[in-house]
Amino acid sequence: MTKNLKQYFAKSFVVLAIIHLAYFLYGYFTFEGIKKIDIYSEFYRFKFYDDVSISHFFVSGLFLLFFLIFLLKNHSKQRYSFAKVLQIGGLLLLVSFFTFTFFISFSFGQNAKLKSELSEKEYNADKELLNTLNPFLYGSTSFSSEKLFNYENILYPRPYPVIKEEKQELLFHDQFSTQTSYYSIDTLKVLTETYNKVSEKTDSILDFVGLDKNILKDRIIKKSILKDSTQIIFKGAEVHPEYDEDICIFLMNKSLYKPVHGDSINKQQFTAAVHRYKLLYKYKKDSLENKFQKLDTLLKKFNIETNIVPKQLAASVFQNKKNKDVFSIYLPNSFDRKALNEKLQTLERYFYEPNFLHPSIMPIFFAVIFSVWLVLFLLYMIFNRK
């Protein structure tokens, strides 16, 4: 390629960069904020009718028109080898691509504004608050759900968590009764060689005294071997959570409202359980009220309709703490749960699955780029050969 043609392409890319910057700034300053986004929001779908789409159409068309006129008028007389023609074709393809991606820069501008308004660190802190307070956010009827609230969901303090065991016991003839027991879950880690020796001796001793060796084996929940060590998770001592005064229904739920991206789920569940236990049994009542105040601020920040009164909700939680009758539990925690779920789904997508080029327009997008490139390249070849 001649020096003039190289300079022409360089100037064209500079002009395209300036236009992309303009669309980036337009997206940045027109983003309406986290209060306005919802589950149907995207950074940008090429809708063919809004101001971005219309301006995109005219700006792209005008740029390509002037680009082609000056290209054919000033830079099509020099004959090139086949390899050089391929290079020019590649540059024309880049010009076509960058000419039809202004809306992507617009999307990047919106993304940048979102993260300036709500950083990932702040967003994760919001999710951690929701995870800690999650058992207090259910509707009153949810507390009777054995799936959501049960003793096996208690993660803290020791000897929790526990495992449930049900046995059928014969009462009369063909009548049976179900006996439910709970056992702590303990872990033993030893060298595999040592474990095998001890296991063999234990089996021999139990056989000698006439005891069933399967009694001990039945207590093993899981056994795994890692390199030269054996880890055994087994049922420990029997636990009676129904009589534990430091256990209430709010500790019987380990689900997370929205996990923090990239962190261990088990670790998040345990951390939330510890903090929740301390709020209920260790800290002053003001601590829980302060958490509900932060929750109220979070809901208003996300533009979620709420009737939560932090002081009233905290008092109600402590009033219901010792309530064993789950059907009479009531918490004044009314807020738009559906709207909050949708808001968090959208923010998750914005932070971790942004669709700068929406799948619904990909076929059209690449078809347009290829078609425009083909027209540019063929016109250049025709004028060049003449």
Side-chain angles (χ1 to χ4, degrees), residues 68-123:
L68 183 61
I69 290 172
F70 289 115
L71 176 68
L72 298 180
K73 181 180 179 181
N74 301 326
H75 305 284
S76 62
K77 298 176 182 179
Q78 179 71 37
R79 289 295 185 93
Y80 296 106
S81 64
F82 181 73
K84 295 295 183 181
V85 169
L86 287 180
Q87 289 182 10
I88 295 172
L91 290 172
L92 290 174
L93 182 60
L94 287 176
V95 168
S96 301
F97 177 79
F98 286 116
T99 303
F100 287 98
T101 51
F102 299 141
F103 69 96
I104 296 180
S105 293
F106 178 86
S107 301
F108 275 108
Q110 289 189 316
N111 191 359
K113 182 59 180 293
L114 168 69
K115 293 183 178 178
S116 69
E117 186 175 330
L118 179 68
S119 68
E120 186 176 5
K121 183 178 179 180
E122 292 172 327
Y123 178 50

Side-chain angles (χ1 to χ4, degrees), residues 124-380:
N124 286 338
D126 290 339
K127 289 194 286 187
E128 288 170 2
L129 175 66
L130 289 169
N131 291 338
T132 298
L133 300 180
N134 187 41
F136 311 120
L137 304 181
Y138 289 94
S140 298
T141 56
S142 298
F143 291 101
S144 60
S145 169
E146 293 183 1
K147 183 178 180 180
L148 289 174
F149 295 89
N150 61 68
Y151 295 122
E152 290 181 285
N153 283 335
I154 305 172
L155 302 179
Y156 184 86
R158 294 292 297 168
Y160 302 95
V162 296
I163 187 172
K164 181 180 180 181
E165 184 179 81
E166 293 182 340
K167 289 184 178 180
Q168 299 288 329
E169 293 189 358
L170 180 64
L171 296 179
F172 305 102
H173 301 294
D174 58 347
Q175 296 183 4
F176 291 85
S177 171
T178 301
Q179 299 294 325
T180 302
S181 303
Y182 294 93
Y183 295 90
S184 63
I185 301 173
D186 297 322
T187 303
L188 176 66
K189 191 173 183 179
V190 296
L191 292 172
T192 302
E193 184 179 356
T194 304
Y195 169 77
N196 292 333
K197 290 180 180 179
V198 173
S199 180
E200 291 174 3
K201 290 181 180 179
T202 302
D203 290 346
S204 301
I205 293 172
L206 291 175
D207 288 338
F208 179 76
V209 298
L211 296 176
D212 187 0
K213 60 184 179 181
N214 291 322
I215 293 177
L216 291 178
K217 291 182 178 180
D218 287 343
R219 298 183 75 90
I220 296 177
I221 301 171
K222 181 181 179 182
K223 183 173 72 173
S224 57
I225 298 175
L226 181 63
K227 295 183 179 180
D228 60 346
S229 298
T230 296
Q231 178 175 280
I232 305 171
I233 301 175
F234 62 95
K235 291 185 290 186
E238 187 172 358
V239 181
H240 302 280
E242 63 270 29
Y243 303 115
D244 194 334
E245 294 183 355
D246 286 345
I247 293 299
C248 66
I249 193 169
F250 301 119
L251 301 180
M252 299 179 195
N253 182 291
K254 66 179 181 179
S255 60
L256 301 174
Y257 199 99
K258 184 65 68 174
V260 174
H261 188 78
D263 287 354
S264 165
I265 298 295
N266 292 335
K267 182 181 177 182
Q268 292 182 62
Q269 289 174 329
F270 182 77
T271 300
V274 172
H275 199 179
R276 195 156 48 241
Y277 176 83
K278 291 179 178 179
L279 286 170
L280 289 167
Y281 291 97
K282 297 296 182 182
Y283 299 155
K284 295 181 180 179
K285 292 183 178 181
D286 292 347
S287 298
L288 184 59
E289 184 181 330
N290 179 259
K291 290 292 182 184
F292 286 134
Q293 184 62 58
K294 290 182 178 179
L295 172 66
D296 186 55
T297 302
L298 182 152
L299 294 175
K300 291 175 180 176
K301 179 177 70 175
F302 288 160
N303 199 31
I304 306 299
E305 184 179 347
T306 174
N307 296 315
I308 289 177
V309 179
K311 188 173 183 178
Q312 182 182 352
L313 180 54
S316 182
V317 167
F318 283 107
Q319 184 180 347
N320 285 276
K321 187 172 71 170
K322 295 297 183 181
N323 193 351
K324 299 296 182 181
D325 183 6
V326 296
F327 294 100
S328 63
I329 287 180
Y330 169 74
L331 296 177
N333 59 359
S334 175
F335 67 96
D336 193 338
R337 294 177 174 84
K338 181 181 179 182
L340 180 60
N341 288 335
E342 291 180 351
K343 182 76 69 173
L344 292 177
Q345 287 178 36
T346 305
L347 288 172
E348 285 290 296
R349 190 170 70 247
Y350 278 5
F351 273 98
Y352 307 113
E353 299 175 7
N355 286 325
F356 295 113
L357 181 59
H358 198 270
S360 63
I361 66 168
M362 277 190 182
I364 300 174
F365 174 75
F366 287 110
V368 169
I369 288 178
F370 180 78
S371 300
V372 170
W373 167 78
L374 190 61
V375 170
L376 291 176
F377 190 56
L378 289 177
L379 286 173
Y380 181 80

